[in-house]
Amino acid sequence: MQEAMIKRAKELLADGSVDRVIGWKRGEFAYDITPAVFTTAEELDRDFVCDDFTAANVSKYLVKETQKEGKILAFLKPCDTYSFNQLVKEHRIDREKVYVIGIEGGPKLDIEKIKAKGITGILSVKNEDYTLKIETIYGTQTMPFYEAILGKCASCKSKKHVVFDELIGEDGDVLDSNRFEMVEKLENMTAQERFDFWRDQLSKCIRCNACRNVCPACTCENCVFDNPKSGIDNKAPADSFEENMFHIIRAFHVAGRCTDCGECSRVCPQHIPLHLLNRKFIKDINELYGEYQAGADTTSRAPLNTYDKNDCEPSVVHERGVE
Amino acid sequence: MQVNENFEPVIVAFCCNWCSYAGADLSGTNRLNYPTNVKIIRVPCSCRVNPMFILRAFQKGADGVIICGCHPGDCHYTSGNYFTRRRITLLYSMLDFLGIERNRTRLEWVSAAEGAKFAATMQQFTEDVKALGPNRRLEDLRCRKQ
Ligand code: SF4
Ligand code: SF4
Ligand code: SF4
Ligand code: FES
C-alpha cells in the first residue's frame, strides 16, 4: 500500500492539486513513527512510510495545516476519518483545503507489547502471515501478530471511511466491537472498588499532557489546563485531587465529541486506560439520549449541544443505590 | 466507615437566581428552618454551573454539592436547565464511575414559590451527606482544615 500511496501523492503534487502531503515518517527507530508533512517527490521517496506502526491519527494536524495557504493531501485510516469529520463539523478544519485519501486501517502494532515480551534491541518488525518476525541485535525472535496489536485496534469500531475524496484499497463496514465490556465490568463493581481502581490508575499520571495534545477533540486555542489562574496548570499533579480534576474535566470537555479514536490511551506513557473514561460517557450518552457516534456525520447536533424535554433526571444516577 | 455523630458536613448549594434562590429566600421569610450547613452560591441560571465549579467545591472542603434550578420548562432563559440536566446527569454518572459516593451530589428543581420544598430538600440532602461522613475521595489534602 505504501508504494501506491507514494505514487498517488507524487501525482497530486505534480499536477498541482495539492502542495503538501501529510503522512508519516520514521524516527530514530523503525517502529518510532511520527506524523510528517512532505512537499516534494524526493522527500516522499526518502521518508514517507505507511506500515504496521503508522497508527498516529493525522487529523488534528490539519487544524493548523488548513490555516495555511494551499491544499494538503491527507491519508486517513477509517478511524481517522471520524476525527476528521468531527473537526470539520466543529469548523476547525477547512474541508476545502484537504484532499482526503482513505487508506486501509490496522490493526497496527504496539511496540510496548513486543517489548513486554522481553524482546529488546529491536531493529525491525515484519509481519509474515500473522507471525511477527522481529530482528534484534541479539538475533531473530517471533511472536503472534495479534498479541502485539494496539488496544484501540483490538476494539476497532469501524472499517468504514465516513469521508474521503478517493480510496486506495477497499472500504469496510462499521463493526460491532464490544468496546464497552470493561466499562460494564467497572460499573458492576462497588464504589470502593471503582475508586481504588481509578486511584491506582490516575495516580500514575505525570501530567505530561500528551493525551490532551494528541486528542483531536482537544483543539482549544487556550486550554483551561494552560490557564495559570485555574490552579491546575502546573505540571505534575500536587494532589490526588488534581489528577481527578484533570481527567474528569478533560473527559467531560470531549464528551459527545470524542470519536473514540483511542489516541489518548495510545500515547499515554503511563499506560492509563483513558479510553474507559471516554467510553463511559459514550455509553451513557447512547443509553440515555440515543445512539450517537461522534464524527459519523457533519450535520447532527452533539448530544451536549441539544436536549429533549423528556430527558431523564440526574436522579437516574442516585437510583443505582446508595453505594 | 465509622459514623461520627458530631460530624457537620459542608453543603454547597448552587441556586439559580430566578427560582431556587428566590425559593430559598421564601423559605427564610416563612421562617422555615434549613440546616446551617448549607452554603448557597447564587448563579444566574443553573446552566451556569460549570463542572469545574462542582469539583472545585469538593476541593475546597464541601462534603456534598447540590444544584437547584427552575423546573424544566420554567427556566428564565427558556432552555438553560434542559442543558443543565444533560450535563449534570453525565457528570454525576462519571463521578459515580470514579467511585465517588452517589449521595454527595444532587440536583433538585425548586421554584420561587417552593420555600417549603427548598427547606425539606436541604434537610434531606444534609442528612444523606452526614450519613456518608466527610468527603475523602474527592478532597484536596492541601485544603483540609485543622
Ligand atoms: S498522557 Fe497519561 S501521563 Fe500524560 S497527562 Fe495524559 S494521562 Fe497523564
Ligand atoms: S478523548 Fe481520546 S479517544 Fe476521544 S477523541 Fe480524544 S484522543 Fe480520541
Ligand atoms: S481539556 Fe478542555 S479546554 Fe483543554 S483542550 Fe481539551 S477540550 Fe479544550
Ligand atoms: S434561570 Fe433558573 S434554571 Fe435557568
Side-chain angles (χ1 to χ4, degrees):
Chain A
M1 185 167 62
Q2 181 179 313
E3 299 317 309
M5 289 162 71
I6 295 178
K7 180 165 166 281
R8 209 42 205 124
K10 283 194 205 160
E11 284 167 11
L12 289 165
L13 274 180
D15 70 14
S17 312
V18 299
D19 52 12
R20 282 161 296 145
V21 178
I22 186 161
W24 307 266
K25 73 173 186 190
R26 257 184 206 121
E28 199 169 338
F29 303 102
Y31 50 79
D32 182 15
I33 301 285
T34 162
V37 175
F38 306 85
T39 50
T40 63
E42 293 72 50
E43 283 173 7
L44 284 166
D45 277 330
R46 192 183 62 223
D47 296 328
F48 187 95
V49 23
C50 180
D51 63 12
D52 288 335
F53 288 102
T54 50
N57 176 351
V58 298
S59 312
K60 188 178 183 179
Y61 295 85
L62 297 169
V63 173
K64 284 266 152 51
E65 286 299 326
T66 56
Q67 284 164 7
K68 299 177 186 166
E69 291 288 314
K71 197 158 174 165
I72 186 163
L73 161 62
F75 290 106
L76 302 180
K77 303 187 293 302
C79 48
D80 306 343
T81 61
Y82 286 81
S83 311
F84 179 85
N85 237 7
Q86 182 65 23
L87 285 164
V88 169
K89 177 175 175 175
E90 291 172 5
H91 306 284
R92 304 292 286 133
I93 287 179
D94 184 350
R95 178 69 183 90
E96 300 299 310
K97 286 185 170 172
V98 192
Y99 189 81
V100 177
I101 297 189
I103 56 167
E104 249 170 57
K108 300 286 180 186
L109 296 176
D110 184 351
I111 192 67
E112 299 294 336
K113 291 198 174 141
I114 298 175
K115 288 180 178 168
K117 293 267 174 192
I119 302 174
T120 52
I122 300 165
L123 298 169
S124 72
V125 180
K126 268 202 195 68
N127 174 12
E128 283 177 9
D129 231 6
Y130 296 100
T131 297
L132 293 180
K133 277 193 88 177
I134 306 150
E135 300 293 342
T136 77
I137 52 175
Y138 310 110
T140 310
Q141 304 237 34
T142 58
M143 76 179 277
F145 176 83
Y146 279 99
E147 283 180 19
I149 66 171
L150 279 167
K152 70 170 188 171
C153 297
S155 56
C156 178
K157 64 182 180 298
S158 174
K159 296 276 182 210
K160 183 180 156 66
H161 295 83
V162 288
V163 54
F164 59 84
D165 293 310
E166 75 179 70
L167 281 176
I168 293 182
E170 298 279 303
D171 202 11
D173 296 317
V174 174
L175 307 175
D176 183 14
S177 64
N178 219 1
R179 59 193 163 123
F180 300 115
E181 216 171 304
M182 187 59 196
V183 174
E184 273 161 24
K185 210 173 137 197
L186 278 162
E187 285 171 347
N188 292 328
M189 290 179 178
T190 65
Q192 184 68 49
E193 284 167 344
R194 278 198 297 274
F195 180 75
D196 293 340
F197 171 86
W198 283 111
R199 220 45 326 279
D200 202 33
Q201 293 295 341
L202 299 184
S203 61
K204 296 190 292 192
C205 177
I206 54 173
R207 264 306 284 284
C208 62
N209 287 329
C211 50
R212 179 203 60 182
N213 294 353
V214 80
C215 172
C218 273
T219 58
C220 304
E221 293 289 330
N222 280 310
C223 172
V224 288
F225 299 112
D226 289 332
N227 174 6
K229 285 189 187 147
S230 69
I232 35 166
D233 68 315
N234 47 349
K235 285 279 181 188
D239 186 274
S240 64
F241 177 83
E242 285 185 356
E243 292 156 5
N244 288 332
M245 176 86 148
F246 176 71
H247 289 97
I248 295 169
I249 296 298
R250 203 190 79 79
F252 189 86
H253 282 186
V254 301
R257 308 187 298 117
C258 161
T259 63
D260 200 3
C261 71
E263 285 289 86
C264 45
S265 294
R266 181 181 70 84
V267 300
C268 177
Q270 298 294 86
H271 309 298
I272 300 172
L274 297 165
H275 55 277
L276 295 177
L277 295 174
N278 306 313
R279 283 188 189 160
K280 169 64 179 165
F281 274 129
I282 295 172
K283 183 169 178 283
D284 276 352
I285 288 171
N286 284 348
E287 286 172 2
L288 300 173
Y289 309 121
E291 289 280 322
Y292 183 81
Q293 171 59 54
D297 63 77
T298 53
T299 49
S300 63
R301 297 198 71 159
L304 280 166
N305 276 352
T306 183
Y307 61 84
D308 189 287
K309 290 192 170 157
N310 299 315
D311 279 342
C312 63
E313 297 289 331
S315 55
V316 291
V317 176
H318 307 105
E319 282 154 16
R320 292 170 190 163
V322 178
E323 253 297 294
Chain B
M1 193 187 299
Q2 212 182 331
V3 181
N4 181 353
E5 287 300 325
N6 300 321
F7 166 62
E8 287 300 337
V10 176
I11 306 290
V12 170
F14 290 100
C15 295
C16 97
N17 182 42
W18 302 99
C19 281
S20 312
Y21 193 79
D25 214 14
L26 183 65
S27 114
T29 38
N30 284 349
R31 299 184 166 270
L32 298 167
N33 279 328
Y34 67 86
T36 52
N37 309 57
V38 180
K39 315 291 175 215
I40 297 179
I41 298 179
R42 183 167 63 158
V43 285
C45 172
S46 62
C47 79
R48 176 66 186 89
V49 181
N50 178 325
M52 291 251 272
F53 293 3
I54 298 169
L55 297 188
R56 199 57 99 197
F58 282 118
Q59 178 186 26
K60 303 281 183 194
D63 298 296
V65 175
I66 179 167
I67 297 169
C68 298
C70 316
H71 285 264
D74 293 343
C75 174
H76 188 74
Y77 307 99
T78 318
S79 56
N81 52 7
Y82 287 123
F83 291 101
T84 309
R85 188 158 65 178
R86 279 205 173 185
R87 275 180 215 155
I88 299 303
T89 303
L90 290 177
L91 180 74
Y92 286 179
S93 180
M94 177 53 79
L95 293 179
D96 175 31
F97 190 60
L98 290 173
I100 312 302
E101 302 93 334
R102 288 171 195 141
N103 270 352
R104 286 198 195 282
T105 54
R106 192 136 321 162
L107 179 141
E108 208 64 59
W109 310 120
V110 179
S111 82
E114 294 175 323
K117 180 177 179 187
F118 182 86
T121 299
M122 293 305 155
Q123 198 85 46
Q124 183 60 51
F125 186 53
T126 306
E127 287 304 311
D128 290 348
V129 175
K130 207 168 182 167
L132 287 174
N135 162 36
R136 289 289 175 255
R137 294 183 185 170
L138 206 52
E139 74 166 346
D140 190 326
L141 276 175
R142 296 167 299 174
C143 300
R144 197 191 273 194
K145 302 223 170 52
Q146 93 243 332

